[in-house]
Amino acid sequence: MTGTFNQNLSVRHVRGSRWQAAFALATILAVAFLATLVLTIVDDAFGWVIMMDETDRRELTRDGVTLDAQNTAQLLATIDEHLSPRRYRALERELPFADRGRDDLYALVLAEIVNPEIAETYNLFESLVSAQAIKAQAAEEYPEGLLVFRSWVNARFLLAPQSAVPLAAGIKTAILGTLMTILITLAFAFPIGIGAAIWLEEYARDSWLTRAIQVNIYNLAGVPSIIYGMLGLAVFVRGLEPITSGAIFGASAAGDTANGRTILSAGLTLAVLILPVIIINAQEALKAVPGSLRQSSLAVGATKWQTIRYHVLPASFDRILTGTVLAISRAIGETAPLVVIGASTFLTQDPTSIFSKFTTLPIQIYQWTSRPQAEFRHLAAAAIVVLLALMLSLNSFAIVARNKMRKQKRF
Amino acid sequence: MASFIVYCYARFCKKAGTMKHGTIGFYPEERLGRLSFRRAPRPTERLIQAFLFFCAAVSILTTAGIIVVLGTESAGFFKEVSILEFFTGKEWQPSIGKFGIAPLFVATLTTSLTAMAVALPLGLAVAIYLAEYARPRVRETLKPVLEVLAGVPTVAYGYFALTVVTPFLRGLLGQENVEVYNTLSAGLVMGVLILPLISSMCEDALSSVPGSLREAAYAMGATKLETSVKIIVPAAFSGIAAAFILGLSRAVGETMIVALAAGAGPRLTLNPLRSAETMTGHIVRISGGDLSYDSMDYRSLFAIALVLFVSTLFLNILSRNIVKKYREVYE
């Protein structure tokens, strides 16, 4: 009897441990996939590049001083010598050369005369592992080229507007666009979301209307984001054009009007998109407040709203905040609805008001990724690094704020 | 208690006619007419409640907005194109007036099913590992990691598909076999995107199976694997099915990965190594260009969006109903 019973036991145990290994492997694989994703992005955001100068900067050495160290007079002499008269006059008209500072002149010499172009790029992994091979290749194929280690995320990248030239392109316009859009989103979605959650948790009685609203919110949370884009296109961009283009507020009729395809429309669309998420999170937060807190407040004569305002909301605010930040970081990363409502594909002008045309970081990433050249791929990676950093800092800010508020709680 | 006595005293005085309102009273405030035990009308409270109800009603307005917008624009579209042609046509070429949704729909199906083929087995294995095998500390570390990575913007996943997965596939299967844009790469990466969702939903389902089932299985002499796979997984099956359906709905609606990696231009093909355009990919590409309102191009997008909306809504409701049903079984 015992023999039969134990007959397969060792086999079963072996099978058990094999499958356990398989399950563990799947978990490791899943984490590895996601880690690869992040690593690839970092990998592409840094690395060696070979730059070819139109005019070799070694030729621009003047009085034995290299280009980087030249003073204003020397730079002016260089400009006089190398710049075509037509371009010279154009720049002079923009701002007289005499009024320009040394750094401005240096940047001008780099952009107009040296005019570096990227001949070859490498990513971080290659740069670290096969540095010798890269150097040899650079010396052989591009003897006049300049091999430099480039961080594609740099101060210039953050502060420069979009450009067709990869070396000059930056994301300032996109960052401003993202921030302004998110502010609008927050201004609308936060009060309405919390209001809805309060009504559902504190005021609503169990009726068909309440249940309909609740089911409706769950359904909205599952609607694909692109559908919200279609809604935004039809309602905010087209239907409410006089408002969203700023026409009825007398906004500038100068070249930057965007007939409804504005930051305001984008912010409203994203607000509608994240509203269900905010409501559901806020509801969870309100549910976690103990009922005794409400009863004790009502017992000493507070009205319903006073109870909510002075007791329920402060007690649940840390959770509400965390939920809102999660929703906002989702909104920051949204791309599809903004493409649909008509984000500008190539915008060099910073947004001046909520009635300006807009572009955001994810849109910029989308644009750069869809171009075939390697330089733009590196730019896209750099922009993703900035986007992730933005989201990560937002999340950690929320965590710190929540912990601080938790400490102040009295119960 | 004290206030009750005061209240009774006041009522008594009033009844006995010894106290005229606002002249005599127990408290000085009462004498000045500033204290009343009657329920005061509070217009602000009413106003606030009305505002809060309005906030809740915004969600209804949103749904109504979606339905009205998609409905009216699609109605305009279906005036020109018959519904039959829309669903049975095998070509989508607005320039020559051919509006058959099949190429877009098939491409959506290809990418979504590829994604689920990756996400479901892996996600389920991760969930079984986390729920049944992993020590609490490992679980507490891994879960947030998966959640954080699920928060990476989808455009970054699209970038990953185009710059890493596609070259890898082309190296593996041959440059001539795999096109630069292909649905396989988009589907695989989408699977990675959906994996955290599936694993967390499955894990919830597995851990909500009562411990008594596990103990009973162990008492019968089952090994840990047998308990997990033959007892716990079937018991949590409805939860797993709900996770699968919700994941499928997410995959159908996913846009940026397919817009970047699956290709531009509708094409009716079942070969995942070739390029094809999904419904979402088509909407993004067309609306990203210069689009004039009231054109057929514009309206056709709303017809596609309507199909997308209805199918994801159906999947979401199905998923939620399954979850509800299995909750009833175990609570």
Side-chain angles (χ1 to χ4, degrees):
Chain A
M1 180 66 198
T2 23
T4 11
F5 186 72
N6 284 334
Q7 207 170 32
N8 289 330
L9 198 59
S10 56
V11 179
R12 283 160 65 202
H13 276 300
V14 168
R15 196 186 296 147
S17 46
R18 271 189 201 148
W19 275 98
Q20 179 175 359
F23 293 145
L25 193 71
T27 313
I28 293 167
L29 206 63
V31 175
F33 271 146
L34 297 163
T36 318
L37 171 74
V38 175
L39 284 179
T40 315
I41 290 158
V42 173
D43 190 33
D44 276 345
F46 305 92
W48 293 102
V49 291
I50 301 175
M51 297 222 258
M52 296 289 283
D53 296 347
E54 195 180 285
T55 317
D56 196 334
R57 48 187 101 189
R58 276 162 287 197
E59 286 171 20
L60 297 176
T61 307
R62 192 167 285 274
D63 316 330
V65 186
T66 54
L67 184 64
D68 336 336
Q70 287 178 5
N71 59 27
T72 317
Q74 286 164 326
L75 287 170
L76 274 175
T78 308
I79 290 172
D80 280 340
E81 195 177 311
H82 289 271
L83 211 57
S84 72
R86 225 173 116 220
R87 189 77 191 120
Y88 187 94
R89 277 196 302 276
L91 287 168
E92 177 82 23
R93 222 175 302 127
E94 244 172 57
L95 186 71
F97 280 102
D99 297 348
R100 290 176 190 249
R102 193 253 158 205
D103 291 333
D104 191 15
L105 286 175
Y106 179 65
L108 214 97
V109 171
L110 275 188
E112 299 284 334
I113 300 168
V114 177
N115 194 12
E117 270 189 9
I118 292 172
E120 188 79 56
T121 62
Y122 302 91
N123 47 27
L124 186 60
F125 186 70
E126 290 172 333
S127 306
L128 293 180
V129 174
S130 47
Q132 291 306 319
I134 291 173
K135 277 178 188 155
Q137 192 197 359
E140 192 183 317
E141 286 176 30
Y142 307 97
E144 281 156 22
L146 193 65
L147 187 68
V148 283
F149 189 82
R150 181 175 171 87
S151 157
W152 291 87
V153 188
N154 52 43
R156 212 190 125 66
F157 177 69
L158 293 176
L159 297 175
Q162 163 73 303
S163 161
V165 185
L167 276 178
I171 51 171
K172 182 181 166 208
T173 317
I175 290 180
L176 285 176
T178 291
L179 291 180
M180 288 174 78
T181 311
I182 288 304
L183 278 182
I184 302 254
T185 304
L186 200 58
F188 282 90
F190 188 63
I192 295 184
I194 293 185
I198 292 175
W199 190 80
L200 285 167
E201 285 303 315
E202 308 287 332
Y203 286 94
R205 296 204 179 84
D206 190 28
S207 68
W208 66 268
L209 182 68
T210 313
R211 279 196 296 270
I213 291 179
Q214 191 70 69
V215 166
N216 183 43
I217 287 169
Y218 285 126
N219 282 337
L220 280 179
V223 170
S225 59
I226 195 165
I227 302 282
Y228 286 101
M230 305 295 286
L231 179 73
L233 177 65
V235 175
F236 299 129
V237 175
R238 244 190 113 185
L240 301 176
E241 189 184 327
I243 298 173
T244 49
S245 66
I248 61 164
F249 304 111
S252 62
D256 68 335
T257 45
N259 57 28
R261 296 166 186 263
T262 55
I263 288 184
L264 182 61
S265 295
L268 288 173
T269 306
L270 290 183
V272 175
L273 171 75
I274 63 166
L275 200 56
V277 186
I278 291 189
I279 296 176
I280 292 171
N281 285 333
Q283 271 186 288
E284 293 300 321
L286 292 174
K287 267 183 199 149
V289 176
S292 54
L293 195 71
R294 293 187 186 85
Q295 287 153 12
S296 47
S297 168
L298 291 171
V300 294
T303 64
K304 190 145 197 169
W305 172 245
Q306 284 165 343
T307 306
I308 294 167
R309 166 74 185 77
Y310 295 104
H311 300 282
V312 178
L313 275 186
S316 58
F317 201 70
D318 53 338
R319 283 161 190 263
I320 292 179
L321 190 81
T322 326
T324 308
V325 168
L326 284 179
I328 285 292
S329 63
R330 184 180 158 195
I332 289 182
E334 274 301 342
T335 322
L338 298 185
V339 176
V340 172
I341 66 164
S344 300
T345 47
F346 191 89
L347 194 64
T348 52
Q349 222 172 2
D350 288 345
T352 47
S353 75
I354 57 172
F355 304 120
S356 305
K357 287 182 189 173
F358 72 99
T359 185
T360 64
L361 265 178
I363 302 276
Q364 197 79 77
I365 295 166
Y366 174 49
Q367 292 300 331
W368 278 332
T369 308
S370 47
R371 295 197 190 194
Q373 300 96 321
E375 296 93 308
F376 287 108
R377 205 184 68 204
H378 292 293
L379 285 176
I384 295 176
V385 169
V386 174
L387 181 64
L388 289 180
L390 193 68
M391 290 167 74
L392 207 64
S393 52
L394 198 69
N395 282 337
S396 33
F397 163 76
I399 291 169
V400 170
R402 186 187 62 187
N403 290 346
K404 212 167 191 180
M405 265 188 262
R406 277 220 174 127
K407 270 183 200 150
Q408 287 169 355
K409 265 193 185 175
R410 281 160 295 170
F411 53 88
Chain B
M1 191 66 205
S3 64
F4 182 66
I5 295 171
V6 172
Y7 176 69
C8 292
Y9 172 72
R11 285 295 291 271
F12 170 73
C13 293
K14 238 180 174 175
K15 232 177 192 170
T18 51
M19 185 187 108
K20 273 178 197 132
H21 187 70
T23 50
I24 316 165
F26 190 81
Y27 290 119
E29 288 89 345
E30 204 178 350
R31 266 176 247 135
L32 292 169
R34 268 189 260 144
L35 183 70
S36 158
F37 295 105
R38 246 182 269 161
R39 194 178 191 149
R42 294 184 185 275
T44 12
E45 291 270 322
R46 285 276 169 107
L47 215 66
I48 286 167
Q49 191 176 347
F51 171 72
L52 294 175
F53 174 72
F54 163 75
C55 291
V58 165
S59 71
I60 297 269
L61 286 180
T62 309
T63 310
I66 291 176
I67 292 170
V68 167
V69 163
L70 295 185
T72 50
E73 295 289 348
S74 310
F77 173 77
F78 286 121
K79 254 181 218 156
E80 316 246 336
V81 181
S82 75
I83 293 186
L84 194 72
E85 191 200 326
F86 181 68
F87 283 108
T88 56
K90 290 199 176 78
E91 244 180 302
W92 183 277
Q93 277 186 328
S95 53
I96 55 167
K98 291 207 166 169
F99 294 96
I101 201 174
L104 303 175
F105 195 81
V106 168
T108 296
L109 223 54
T110 318
T111 50
S112 311
L113 291 180
T114 314
M116 294 319 292
V118 174
L120 187 71
L122 264 181
L124 188 57
V126 171
I128 292 177
Y129 180 74
L130 289 181
E132 305 291 325
Y133 289 95
R135 265 171 277 152
R137 258 187 77 184
V138 177
R139 191 184 319 158
E140 295 313 307
T141 351
L142 280 181
K143 277 183 82 171
V145 168
L146 285 175
E147 264 164 41
V148 164
L149 289 164
V152 173
T154 53
V155 70
Y157 280 92
Y159 172 85
F160 181 65
L162 198 60
T163 60
V164 178
V165 178
T166 303
F168 174 75
L169 288 176
R170 298 190 81 189
L172 197 70
L173 302 172
Q175 299 276 347
E176 64 286 348
N177 297 329
V178 186
E179 292 184 2
V180 178
Y181 298 102
N182 61 76
T183 45
L184 180 64
S185 159
L188 290 176
V189 173
M190 213 195 275
V192 176
L193 168 77
I194 296 170
L195 198 150
L197 172 86
I198 301 272
S199 69
S200 84
M201 272 187 83
C202 285
E203 207 228 312
D204 286 346
L206 293 175
S207 30
S208 71
V209 173
S212 55
L213 256 72
R214 270 180 209 95
E215 284 148 21
Y218 289 142
M220 300 293 286
T223 62
K224 193 156 192 171
L225 176 75
E226 287 158 355
T227 311
S228 309
V229 175
K230 293 184 181 160
I231 307 293
I232 308 296
V233 169
F237 182 75
S238 46
I240 294 164
F244 174 80
I245 293 167
L246 195 68
L248 190 63
S249 143
R250 190 66 59 84
V252 168
E254 173 45 46
T255 312
M256 292 325 288
I257 297 175
V258 290
L260 281 168
R267 178 198 269 174
L268 187 59
T269 172
L270 282 171
N271 184 352
L273 302 180
R274 302 182 69 187
S275 78
E277 196 168 50
T278 66
M279 299 195 281
T280 50
H282 185 74
I283 296 178
V284 159
R285 181 169 65 88
I286 299 299
S287 59
D290 274 330
L291 188 64
S292 56
Y293 305 138
D294 299 318
S295 63
M296 270 313 262
D297 269 352
Y298 179 79
R299 289 199 193 112
S300 70
L301 296 187
F302 284 86
I304 300 173
L306 186 65
V307 173
L308 198 63
F309 176 70
V310 171
S311 42
T312 51
L313 189 68
F314 170 73
L315 290 173
N316 289 342
I317 291 176
L318 189 66
S319 162
R320 219 180 28 254
N321 283 350
I322 291 176
V323 170
K324 229 187 235 166
K325 215 170 185 182
Y326 99 99
R327 263 200 197 134
E328 277 163 18
V329 174
Y330 284 112
E331 274 173 23

